[in-house]
DNA sequence: CATTTCACCTGGTGGC
DNA sequence: TGCCACCAGGTGAAAT
């Protein structure tokens, strides 16, 4: 479920029930399925060894819940004397944190159930595809410092500087968490459409003007998506079980063959960085190398059939 | 090095 | 109805 707007929404729906609370129990479900594969499944999701995970999480209070790119950082404070410990969760593709009123698994692929010192509420973690990860970490773990800036915090100048340095196609850059943290396939495609930039454009060749437009589009797209609680494409829900609504605003993502909302030309799909990439062939023209002379045509546009 | 491709999983969908 | 190919929000390791 997880790009920046979805994770942000999950974090916001986690805070009220978590902050100030004490984790009283950690139930790790080795019995999610019926055969011996369940414990292997748990090992894929849980990076920290089971016993250590259970032991270190029980007791301390939740100080804060933060988003770091697509990561959820649940900060715990044991006491003044002990160092801060955090629970770091990445939802991967299908990870889900959900408030439930029962301590028993409510759906297949439930891997962990947290009990709190609040009566009648349990936090369930489930993840069918198991691309998600849970682990305990100390204060500022190294894996988080390798991430790039937050797209909502970076300045325009810094964004342009980083873009200029890179040679890769702009779409694959947007997916690179060391370039910017938090964008994924949906918001990369949607931001490029709003900026009218072809996804295969080489980053270093974007003009300042186009880079500025991309910067604005990314921020506008993310902020609009957060305001609508993220995109529920197949099964995403926030921790309260509610879907988001931004999927209704998608202009290109998963709209292959359907008319562009702006110009009616059918949306196309190509593969970049191994990911389905959706774009409008008319609104997002590929910037061809300027053929200075040669054909005698002006360097700019020509009717250009696909 | 920077950049691209592939493997890791389950589940849903659409063609035959 | 079943079977199969393909697609899906993620990343890191391996290959180029």
């Amino acid at each position: 479920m997880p790009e920046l707007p979805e994770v942000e929404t999950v974090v916001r729906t986690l805070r009220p029930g978590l902050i100030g609370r004490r984790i009283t129990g950690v139930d790790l479900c080795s019995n999610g399925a019926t055969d011996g594969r369940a414990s292997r499944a748990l090992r894929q999701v849980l990076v920290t060894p089971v016993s250590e995970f259970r032991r270190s999480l029980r007791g301390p209070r939740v100080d804060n819940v933060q988003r770091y790119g697509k990561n959820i950082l649940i900060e715990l404070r044991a006491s003044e004397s002990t160092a801060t410990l955090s629970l770091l969760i990445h939802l991967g593709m299908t990870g889900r944190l959900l408030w439930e009123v029962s301590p028993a698994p409510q759906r297949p692929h439930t891997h962990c159930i947290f009990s709190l010192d609040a009566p009648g509420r349990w936090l369930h973690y489930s993840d069918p595809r198991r691309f998600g990860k849970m682990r305990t970490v100390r204060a500022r773990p190294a894996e988080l410092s390798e991430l790039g800036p937050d797209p909502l915090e970076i300045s325009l100048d810094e964004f342009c500087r980083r873009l200029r340095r890179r040679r890769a196609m702009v779409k694959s850059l947007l997916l690179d968490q060391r370039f910017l943290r938090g964008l994924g396939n949906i918001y990369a495609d949607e931001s490029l459409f709003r900026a009218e930039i072809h996804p295969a454009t080489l980053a270093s060749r974007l003009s300042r003007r186009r880079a500025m437009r991309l910067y604005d589009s990314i921020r506008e797209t993310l902020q609009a998506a957060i305001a609508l609680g993220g995109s529920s494409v197949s099964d995403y829900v926030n921790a309260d079980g509610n879907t988001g609504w931004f999927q209704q605003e998608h202009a290109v993502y998963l709209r292959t063959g359907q008319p562009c909302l702006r110009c009616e030309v059918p949306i196309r799909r190509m593969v970049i960085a191994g990911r389905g990439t959706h774009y409008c062939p008319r609104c997002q023209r590929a910037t061809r190398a300027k053929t200075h002379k040669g054909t005698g045509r002006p360097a700019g546009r020509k009717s250009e059939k696909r």
Side-chain angles (χ1 to χ4, degrees):
Chain A
M1 46 156 115
E3 296 183 38
L4 189 153
E6 289 76 33
V7 179
E8 178 63 29
T9 307
V10 169
V11 163
R12 290 181 185 185
T13 47
L14 284 176
R15 280 188 189 124
L18 271 183
I19 292 178
R21 292 297 177 183
R22 196 189 298 280
I23 297 176
T24 56
V26 180
D27 184 8
L28 295 164
C29 317
S30 295
N31 50 346
T34 46
D35 51 6
R37 286 159 49 205
S39 70
R40 191 174 73 99
L42 183 60
R43 277 201 308 278
Q44 287 175 324
V45 164
L46 188 60
V47 180
T48 311
V50 168
S51 57
E52 183 189 336
F53 189 79
R54 212 183 334 240
R55 176 166 36 83
S56 56
L57 287 183
R58 286 171 62 167
R61 278 190 193 285
V62 176
D63 230 23
N64 205 355
V65 184
Q66 309 240 55
R67 178 185 61 76
Y68 206 84
K70 299 173 189 170
N71 295 274
I72 298 168
L73 198 61
I74 299 174
E75 300 177 338
L76 307 164
R77 198 216 311 267
S79 69
E80 276 104 73
S81 55
T82 45
T84 305
L85 182 85
S86 294
L87 171 56
L88 180 62
I89 300 175
H90 193 300
L91 298 172
M93 208 93 116
T94 52
R96 196 190 273 201
L97 281 165
L98 202 50
W99 292 112
E100 300 280 7
V101 294
S102 163
Q106 301 296 299
R107 58 178 46 71
H109 310 291
T110 296
H111 300 113
C112 183
I113 297 171
F114 299 96
S115 308
L116 303 160
D117 60 355
R121 284 191 114 190
W122 286 265
L123 185 60
H124 291 221
Y125 178 79
S126 63
D127 183 3
R129 280 176 83 179
R130 294 180 238 149
F131 291 167
K133 291 272 178 286
M134 273 196 300
R135 60 176 53 163
T136 54
V137 294
R138 286 182 301 277
R140 257 294 107 101
E143 51 262 62
L144 291 188
S145 48
E146 284 167 17
L147 297 175
D150 190 294
L152 295 176
E153 291 169 7
I154 190 174
S155 72
L156 173 62
D157 280 347
E158 176 64 7
F159 179 75
C160 292
R161 208 173 306 136
R162 292 173 74 87
L163 259 188
R164 218 176 307 128
R165 259 190 255 147
R166 303 286 228 104
R167 194 183 307 272
M169 290 180 276
V170 61
K171 164 73 187 267
S172 48
L173 259 197
L174 294 184
L175 294 176
D176 183 351
Q177 301 299 296
R178 286 168 321 200
F179 179 72
L180 284 182
R181 68 174 116 110
L183 285 181
N185 210 32
I186 294 178
Y187 298 103
D189 281 3
E190 293 298 321
S191 299
L192 286 168
F193 172 79
R194 282 161 176 76
E196 302 180 13
I197 293 171
H198 192 284
T201 311
L202 299 186
S204 53
R205 303 189 58 147
L206 283 171
S207 66
R208 171 93 186 174
R209 232 177 82 82
R210 295 165 66 92
M212 274 174 61
R213 229 163 43 203
L214 180 56
Y215 175 82
D216 288 338
S217 301
I218 290 171
R219 298 166 64 93
E220 288 164 13
T221 305
L222 293 176
Q223 269 154 1
I226 291 172
L228 291 184
S231 304
S232 290
V233 169
S234 62
D235 59 0
Y236 161 75
V237 289
N238 65 29
D240 291 329
N242 297 316
T243 66
W245 296 100
F246 192 72
Q247 66 279 5
Q248 299 189 351
E249 310 292 315
H250 291 178
V252 288
Y253 180 72
L254 248 38
R255 292 195 65 244
T256 311
Q258 298 174 53
C260 172
L261 301 174
R262 196 186 281 153
C263 77
E264 315 255 295
V265 165
I267 298 302
R268 257 192 240 169
R269 177 184 187 275
M270 67 188 292
V271 174
I272 293 178
R275 318 299 307 278
T277 297
H278 314 80
Y279 68 102
C280 169
R282 176 187 267 172
C283 296
Q284 295 165 271
R285 240 33 111 65
T287 43
R288 291 257 44 90
K290 290 185 184 169
T291 55
H292 278 302
K293 306 285 164 57
T295 57
R297 293 205 190 105
R301 312 253 141 269
K302 224 279 165 188
S303 56
E304 175 185 300
K305 52 168 187 184
R306 353 131 2 97

